[in-house]
Amino acid sequence: CIYNFPIIKNAEIAKWENKKDEIAYVGTLLKERGIKEMVQSMTGVKAIFNLAGKWHFDDYKKEVMGLSSWKKVKFWGFVNRQQINEIHNRSKIGLATLMPIPTYLDAYPVKMFEYMAAGIPCVISNFPMLQKVMHEEQCGICVDPENPKEIANAVNSLLQNETMAKQMGLNGRKAVEEKYNWKTQEKLLLNLYHKILQ
């Protein structure tokens, strides 16, 4: 397997002291990505939710934007790499609570590693593959992605314990520098090409 791990030089790290009580999600805005549940979770969170990406279905967009907790959302729309870094740099937590469908249950979400590379802790779906990474690297909290209250509790736990959150962010960055980066996958890909060409 060749994994789509992040390129480290693309990820900036801001000083933790400069971050705000804000949360990030940057990616595709689909039902399967759990956008509604993330926004619903903001009802119980004293923070701004930086949401960025492209809506694929108007009906789902209207449903999510119609939630009472939408007032906690700062919607960025479709963003470029510089804006992604800006969102990560101002946020203390990255969300990636994807729904438990076959496509996601046995796959690594790229954004999880992007949050780790940016030095912010993750709140992520409690799938076995992801639980293993969170347990080994101590860089985030796994939750039931279909339970907004559980998502909110994890976010609040990190916001209320800045020492823990900052350390998880550092742990995640260290893990990406050592293991979960494109350089490690580039070697595998080049070796594969070499074998094919022999």
Side-chain angles (χ1 to χ4, degrees):
C1 289
I2 307 294
Y3 294 107
N4 189 19
F5 291 157
I7 299 170
I8 293 178
K9 69 178 182 180
N10 287 345
E12 299 175 0
I13 299 186
K15 289 183 179 179
W16 189 267
E17 295 72 25
N18 294 338
K19 292 181 177 292
K20 307 174 187 301
D21 282 347
E22 298 185 11
I23 300 117
Y25 172 87
V26 180
T28 306
L29 305 179
L30 286 169
K31 182 177 182 179
E32 294 80 4
R33 298 294 180 101
I35 309 304
K36 179 181 177 181
E37 289 75 13
M38 292 183 208
V39 172
Q40 286 175 321
S41 76
M42 293 301 112
T43 299
V45 174
K46 291 183 178 179
I48 297 297
F49 182 27
N50 292 305
L51 180 66
K54 180 180 178 181
W55 296 99
H56 282 248
F57 298 100
D58 285 339
D59 288 348
Y60 187 61
K61 174 183 176 181
K62 290 176 183 175
E63 180 183 357
V64 175
M65 287 186 167
L67 296 169
S68 61
S69 49
W70 182 258
K71 63 181 178 289
K72 299 265 190 88
V73 175
K74 176 178 171 59
F75 183 58
W76 294 67
F78 186 77
V79 292
N80 58 31
R81 170 54 57 185
Q82 183 179 349
Q83 290 170 308
I84 291 172
N85 283 332
E86 181 184 347
I87 291 168
H88 289 168
N89 286 344
R90 64 188 293 137
S91 300
K92 291 180 178 176
I93 302 164
L95 292 185
T97 50
L98 310 182
M99 293 290 104
I101 62 174
T103 305
Y104 298 147
L105 285 170
D106 295 314
Y108 287 133
V110 176
K111 64 188 74 295
M112 175 180 78
F113 297 111
E114 291 178 342
Y115 297 146
M116 291 165 65
I120 56 177
C122 313
V123 172
I124 197 146
S125 302
N126 57 358
F127 307 155
M129 280 182 69
L130 310 185
Q131 286 178 321
K132 186 173 186 291
V133 175
M134 293 299 108
H135 176 73
E136 290 178 353
E137 310 303 342
Q138 293 295 300
C139 60
I141 299 174
C142 291
V143 297
D144 176 355
E146 298 178 289
N147 188 332
K149 187 173 181 180
E150 196 170 320
I151 297 169
N153 288 342
V155 168
N156 284 329
S157 175
L158 291 167
L159 289 175
Q160 291 163 14
N161 192 335
E162 295 235 4
T163 301
M164 178 179 72
K166 182 179 179 180
Q167 187 58 55
M168 282 185 169
L170 293 172
N171 293 346
R173 174 67 185 197
K174 184 172 184 286
V176 168
E177 288 176 348
E178 294 177 353
K179 291 188 279 188
Y180 304 110
N181 64 76
W182 175 246
K183 274 290 181 186
T184 64
Q185 302 307 295
E186 183 181 53
K187 291 175 185 175
L188 295 175
L189 186 60
L190 292 175
N191 286 339
L192 175 62
Y193 289 157
H194 182 69
K195 288 177 182 177
I196 292 172
L197 292 171
Q198 281 182 336

